[in-house]
Amino acid sequence: MLVGIGLAATGCRPDTVRLAYRPRAGDHTRYRVVVRTITKRTLPGLPDDVADDTARLTARQTVLAVTGGVARVRVVLSRPGGPDRTLVVRFDRSGALLAVDSIEGLPASALGRLGLPEVFPGAGVAPGTPLRPGQRWHAGRSRGRLVELGIEHHRHVARVTSHTELPASARAPTADGGTIDIGGTEITDATATRVIDTGEVERSTSTTTARFALRIEPPPGQTGPAVDGTLAVTVGAEVTRLF
């Protein structure tokens, strides 16, 4: 629960705040992340293939450098029963995930299809312009609203909601040497509580839904038609900062 306040933010009108992501090199944050992923693949002549997986992770973030408003961040992901995974990523001033540079020294291409926006709580987009409670904004393919201001854990915070629609496509090899192509749209609705001074996320919830057209092509040199189907994905995430 937020404790309501009246707030004046530096460089803004007395009734507005600016929600840009403003970390400093050396900043450390730690999060509990719970991600539930449900997938349903439908192909003609076959029963539906349904998978339901819940991952519970701890994410430890360290800001390595901030240059030109872009933060380079090392993230160590820990999951019970598995080895730690270290990634280096970049966020822009809005808090959007710009790029994944490496995973434990490997190139970003080694990542495969991970739910990266759900894993990284800094990835919630904010406009970086002064806002007042109740005001809405649009930024690229996202739109959002500053719901309210308050205090949590002795910090001035803002609760924001957002809705984002993004085209998505991917190609991957199949086990027999063919290829699988998917294309569609991902829709994410999120609510986040952010620290006003730094733009860091205190906690957030999000739901991403997607429905993709799917095509499986046979391996080179083999005859036969391509197989068309659908892939439906729902990803729900809860992120909580740990102290």
Side-chain angles (χ1 to χ4, degrees):
M1 178 180 295
L2 299 184
V3 178
I5 59 171
L7 181 68
T10 302
C12 299
R13 290 172 41 186
D15 61 343
T16 64
V17 294
R18 190 184 301 269
L19 297 179
Y21 182 47
R22 297 183 293 269
R24 295 173 298 181
D27 284 354
H28 298 276
T29 50
R30 194 164 61 99
Y31 294 94
R32 179 175 63 246
V33 184
V34 181
V35 181
R36 183 184 182 191
T37 304
I38 303 172
T39 61
K40 179 181 178 182
R41 187 177 68 174
T42 301
L43 295 173
L46 295 174
D48 291 345
D49 182 6
V50 179
D52 187 338
D53 177 68
T54 298
R56 292 174 171 82
L57 307 168
T58 299
R60 304 191 302 275
Q61 298 189 0
T62 301
V63 179
L64 302 177
V66 181
T67 305
V70 175
R72 194 164 183 262
V73 181
R74 181 177 63 240
V75 183
V76 180
L77 301 176
S78 302
R79 185 174 184 175
D84 288 354
R85 179 171 291 181
T86 302
L87 304 95
V88 176
V89 300
R90 283 177 281 153
F91 296 115
D92 67 11
R93 282 191 178 94
S94 74
L97 180 64
L98 284 179
V100 178
D101 291 338
S102 66
I103 172 171
E104 296 173 342
L106 298 176
S109 58
L111 283 170
R113 287 183 54 80
L114 293 178
L116 293 177
E118 288 76 28
V119 169
F120 297 126
V125 175
T129 56
L131 297 169
R132 67 177 67 87
Q135 187 172 351
R136 301 178 184 273
W137 77 82
H138 288 80
R141 296 179 180 270
S142 297
R143 64 178 186 268
R145 177 172 176 262
L146 172 56
V147 178
E148 62 180 334
L149 305 177
I151 295 177
E152 266 193 19
H153 301 115
H154 308 289
R155 299 178 176 212
H156 295 304
V157 298
R159 183 161 64 91
V160 296
T161 59
S162 63
H163 176 90
T164 303
E165 297 187 21
L166 294 173
S169 62
R171 166 171 285 195
T174 60
D176 62 358
T179 58
I180 180 170
D181 292 282
I182 64 171
T185 302
E186 297 180 351
I187 300 173
T188 300
D189 290 288
T191 300
T193 300
R194 305 182 65 142
V195 178
I196 292 171
D197 286 345
T198 64
E200 293 174 333
V201 172
E202 291 284 286
R203 53 189 169 86
S204 70
T205 59
S206 65
T207 301
T208 299
T209 57
R211 185 175 177 84
F212 300 105
L214 178 155
R215 168 163 285 203
I216 301 175
E217 299 278 359
Q222 291 190 15
T223 59
V227 178
D228 293 315
T230 60
L231 176 66
V233 181
T234 301
V235 181
E238 297 181 2
V239 177
T240 306
R241 186 170 181 173
L242 301 174
F243 293 91

